[in-house]
Amino acid sequence: MFRALVLDQQDGKTQAQVRTLEESALPEGEVLVAVDYSSLNFKDGLAITGTGKIVNQFPMVPGVDLAGRVLESADEAFSPGDAVVLTGWGVGERHWGGMAEKARLKADWLVPMPQGMDARTAMMIGTAGLTAMLCVMALEEGGLTPGAGPVLVTGAAGGVGSVSVAILAGLGYEVHAVTGRPETEAYLRGLGAQALVSRESMAAKPRALEGQRWAGAIDTVGDTILARVLAETCYGGTVAACGLAAGFSLPTTVMPFILRNVRLQGVDSVMCPLSRRQQAWQRLARDLPAAALGEIGHSIGLDEVRDYAQRIVEGQVRGRVIVDMSR
Ligand code: NDP
């Protein structure tokens, strides 16, 4: 028997409840994992509250992330006792996910725990942190270097934003952080942000081109803010877009692309190929300052996930929330 957060539908509404289940209820997969930690991402919030059409099959165990130990494996790549981490691949959306004490998964989805990293740290990073690293890699591939000038991060006090700020600052970039929560200033400066930019000022509709401010940017919110970021990006700069916390529209023009040679790079962590994932995890083990993680992450138990899901959808969660199965 094991505990799991289970989503069901009643009268068209999503209900979330912690239940005790039999192992035989788990879906098919080659590897049975004892989950030590999961984490709460924006997408989990949408799934658990039923706000977004993330889950179509019920019952569903949410949790796009998990870290734990292999209990049984029918795949020779894994043996009992191996420490593993999983993010994405539709887990917690189409296949039962990490918010449970046990999960049965495809071997191809699992990444061996990076050297020197433990399960708790891996979940403080989670999908949000992996995405942040993939965004940093996209900026580097666009030619960005620490001396190039200010780099902007939007939705900075959220999960992807916080980890992005910490990685960029650790690598020596001058990080400017956009937030709608001025009370997070000390936190963001603690992660290494050199300046704060109000969300309100970035949400004003931009002209086709604005003054050149950013050598590069990581955008987690989309919509008018991303349009403004593009209009303010310096000649030859790269913008990595990964999120839609403000909306999925992009009310922009071609001007930043054709007159300023700006590159807009989309970033997806869900279907990201294994080799790039492994590269990103290795980079996270090396480039994300350990002290920053202590600031970014805090733990909750499975029983608290429902409340936190509502809070993350409302943009009220700071940093990363990890779900500790032993609590
Ligand atoms: P969080 O809720 O932790 O962070 C989002 C942040 O965005 C908030 O903390 C807030 O930051 C800001 N924000 C919220 N609402 C608005 C708004 N209406 N307008 C402007 N800013 C807003 O979520 P995550 O960090 O987990 O995810 C961020 C985004 O990235 C989500 O859209 C998510 O779906 C996406 N994502 C995409 C992935 C991919 O593979 N492409 C993977 C992971 C996440 P502040 O208070 O500082 O303003």
Side-chain angles (χ1 to χ4, degrees), residues 42 131 155 157-160 179-181 199 220-221 242-246 267 269 312:
F42 189 78
T131 305
V160 178
T179 184
R181 291 180 281 176
R199 183 198 294 177
T220 71
V221 304
C242 70
L244 42 55
V267 171
S269 66
I312 201 166

Side-chain angles (χ1 to χ4, degrees), residues 114-131:
Q115 196 90 39
M117 195 178 279
D118 58 25
R120 193 164 188 280
T121 305
M123 284 299 97
M124 282 199 197
I125 295 168
T127 283
L130 177 69
T131 305

Side-chain angles (χ1 to χ4, degrees), residues 218-235:
I218 294 177
D219 177 66
T220 71
V221 304
D223 213 329
T224 312
I225 292 181
L226 175 55
R228 175 162 285 276
V229 171
L230 290 165
E232 293 182 352
T233 297
C234 300
Y235 192 93

Side-chain angles (χ1 to χ4, degrees), residues 244-269:
L244 42 55
F248 60 74
S249 297
L250 179 50
T252 189
T253 73
V254 295
M255 300 304 248
F257 310 114
I258 65 173
L259 293 185
R260 291 203 180 141
N261 215 66
V262 166
R263 180 191 294 206
L264 175 59
Q265 178 63 56
V267 171
D268 166 63
S269 66

